[in-house]
Amino acid sequence: MAVLEIEEDAATSAGAGGARGGVSRRKLESRRKLLAAARKLFVERGYHETRPQDISREAGVGHGTFYLHFEDKLDCFLAFTDEAAGELEYFLAQHVVGVARFEDAVRELLRGIFEYSAAHPGVIAAALTDASVLSTSDIGKKMPMTRWAEGWGVLIEKWKASGDVSSDVDSRLAGHLIVGAIKQGGGYAARERLDTEKVIDGMTLLFVRSLKKQ
């Protein structure tokens, strides 16, 4: 009898665990669907023209489900930008593996950005939406532009230490200027349908000459 009770308890626990696992999987799946829908709509319509109910409808879930995962549209947008920033950072890290020369590293980073943009049209532009137009309060997170600018700043400090970049360059300012130039230059290149390799070469020349130790 005791053995039977133990077996019944184990079966009940396993069932409960399975149920909890099922709930967790469903929750993860609904969040995945919502983020995919948000990504699509933020890219196609922009932040201001996308509503939470539009995201829910696109994801094929009830509107209430949206608020189980996100506080509001801004919270959802920030989740989208986090995802996009992480994807690009991982993508770029693969591009510079084994690259030693300063100029080559700059070129490969730019090539990675353009390749990511081609594979994920509109994602970088949407993710770089200025946070100041979304909320007047501190959003408590670094937006992709800040993250990428700081990433360039870290690289510039590394290149300064190796003697490739002038020691009097302000790394943080340079990082923001580079990201701004990539955003504006990339947009111009896309509109004018310029040759990507020529654009990458031109940007590389500009950045390297601006930073290089004379």
Side-chain angles (χ1 to χ4, degrees):
M1 186 66 174
V3 173
L4 179 59
E5 288 172 352
I6 291 172
E7 289 176 345
E8 287 176 345
D9 287 344
T12 301
S13 297
R20 285 194 296 273
V23 170
S24 297
R25 283 193 295 274
R26 286 196 299 274
K27 190 172 182 179
L28 286 171
E29 179 63 14
S30 63
R31 180 180 174 83
R32 185 194 64 77
K33 288 180 179 178
L34 284 164
L35 272 176
R39 182 188 186 109
K40 179 176 184 291
L41 296 178
F42 286 138
V43 167
E44 291 178 354
R45 303 181 184 180
Y47 178 82
H48 293 291
E49 298 303 316
T50 299
R51 302 173 301 172
Q53 55 265 44
D54 299 328
I55 296 172
S56 301
R57 188 180 304 113
E58 180 71 28
V61 301
H63 185 43
T65 302
F66 178 91
Y67 293 101
L68 292 177
H69 296 279
F70 308 107
E71 292 182 10
D72 50 24
K73 182 173 72 169
L74 179 57
D75 187 38
C76 181
F77 180 77
L78 294 175
F80 152 66
T81 63
D82 277 348
E83 182 180 67
E87 285 178 1
L88 180 57
E89 287 161 8
Y90 177 80
F91 193 80
L92 295 183
Q94 310 312 303
H95 257 266
V96 294
V97 170
V99 177
R101 291 181 65 243
F102 165 50
E103 185 171 339
D104 292 340
V106 172
R107 180 174 280 104
E108 282 306 309
L109 287 168
L110 291 171
R111 181 171 286 113
I113 291 168
F114 277 88
E115 287 182 5
Y116 178 89
S117 295
H120 306 279
V123 169
I124 290 180
L128 289 179
T129 299
D130 186 356
S132 66
V133 305
L134 309 182
S135 174
T136 56
S137 60
D138 181 9
I139 60 177
K141 286 187 178 181
K142 289 181 181 177
M143 295 298 287
M145 180 169 276
T146 300
R147 285 176 58 170
W148 294 332
E150 290 180 352
W152 277 99
V154 169
L155 288 174
I156 291 168
E157 281 296 309
K158 175 185 171 184
W159 294 328
K160 284 167 69 173
S162 66
D164 291 305
V165 170
S166 176
S167 61
D168 60 0
V169 169
D170 183 326
S171 300
R172 295 182 66 182
L173 176 60
H176 281 276
L177 290 173
I178 287 172
V179 172
I182 292 171
K183 180 184 179 183
Q184 292 298 111
Y188 167 73
R191 289 191 301 273
E192 298 298 321
R193 299 181 179 179
L194 302 180
D195 180 79
T196 300
E197 284 302 314
K198 287 184 178 179
V199 173
I200 291 170
D201 287 342
M203 284 187 169
T204 300
L205 181 64
L206 178 65
F207 296 159
V208 169
R209 283 187 176 176
S210 299
L211 297 170
K212 200 171 180 62
K213 188 174 182 178
Q214 301 302 318

